[in-house]
């Protein structure tokens, strides 16, 4: 591997000031900082929108729809092909518990999941062939 040299100073394509790119972005960085980066992105997005307005409107509608679905929890139901009703119920239960996990300690979460797993095993033994 070549020894990493100090990145050469470059000209910001937005404000034309000189800057030193970060070592991890030495070849790709085009702007001096966050302000110019956001300005450059906005210009690119505006150009992209103008180049194909219908596609841009489709993208905007899709983004709004996804945001709406995220907030209301609506949207098409997830496919559960290949999962038995029992395991899919167990998964739903675990997802529900994980929703509380942020408020719970790791030990508490572990206890909950262990209890769930043991419950599954007991149910599985009680109904053979399920
Ligand atoms: Zn700049």
């Amino acid at each position: 591997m070549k020894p990493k040299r100090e990145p050469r100073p470059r000209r910001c394509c937005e404000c034309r000031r000189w800057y030193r790119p970060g070592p991890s972005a030495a070849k790709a960085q085009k702007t001096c900082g966050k302000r110019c980066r956001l300005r450059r992105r906005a210009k690119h997005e505006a150009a992209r929108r103008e180049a194909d307005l219908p596609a841009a409107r489709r993208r905007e509608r899709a983004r709004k729809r996804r945001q709406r679905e995220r907030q209301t929890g609506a949207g098409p139901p997830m496919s559960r092909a290949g999962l038995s009703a029992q395991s899919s119920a167990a998964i739903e239960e675990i997802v529900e518990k994980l929703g509380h996990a942020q408020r719970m300690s790791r030990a508490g979460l572990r206890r909950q999941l262990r209890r769930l797993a043991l419950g599954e095993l007991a149910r599985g033994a009680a109904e053979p062939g399920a």
Side-chain angles (χ1 to χ4, degrees):
M1 221 167 94
K2 274 190 291 182
K4 262 201 178 168
R5 264 180 297 158
E6 174 107 323
R8 287 161 185 268
R10 298 174 71 157
R11 213 93 197 255
C12 174
C13 69
E14 285 296 320
C15 67
R16 309 299 299 156
R17 276 200 291 259
W18 288 95
Y19 70 97
R20 247 173 228 286
S24 66
K27 288 191 178 123
Q29 192 171 338
K30 308 276 189 228
T31 53
C32 62
K34 188 175 182 185
R35 248 181 105 110
C36 288
R37 185 173 72 236
L38 294 180
R39 226 170 75 186
R40 180 168 185 267
R41 274 192 205 157
K43 277 186 188 171
H44 274 256
E45 182 49 37
R48 193 181 174 208
R49 186 186 153 91
E50 196 172 339
D52 191 350
L53 198 54
R57 289 191 172 139
R58 281 196 296 276
R59 281 196 302 274
E60 283 160 19
R61 275 198 296 273
R63 187 171 352 106
K64 277 185 187 155
R65 175 168 41 78
R66 280 194 301 269
Q67 196 178 356
R68 219 172 28 243
E69 284 171 1
R70 226 175 295 135
Q71 280 166 357
T72 60
M78 234 191 305
S79 167
R80 293 193 176 139
L83 270 186
S84 75
Q86 196 187 5
S87 45
S88 110
I91 286 172
E92 285 311 309
E93 213 171 329
I94 288 170
V95 167
E96 175 76 16
K97 297 293 178 204
L98 285 177
H100 298 302
Q102 284 181 315
R103 284 184 272 118
M104 207 186 279
S105 69
R106 271 164 191 266
L109 177 62
R110 203 165 282 138
R111 268 197 305 276
Q112 283 279 357
L113 287 173
R114 208 166 278 152
R115 212 170 293 149
L116 277 175
L118 289 176
E120 272 308 297
L121 287 176
R123 255 178 276 169
E127 336 166 23

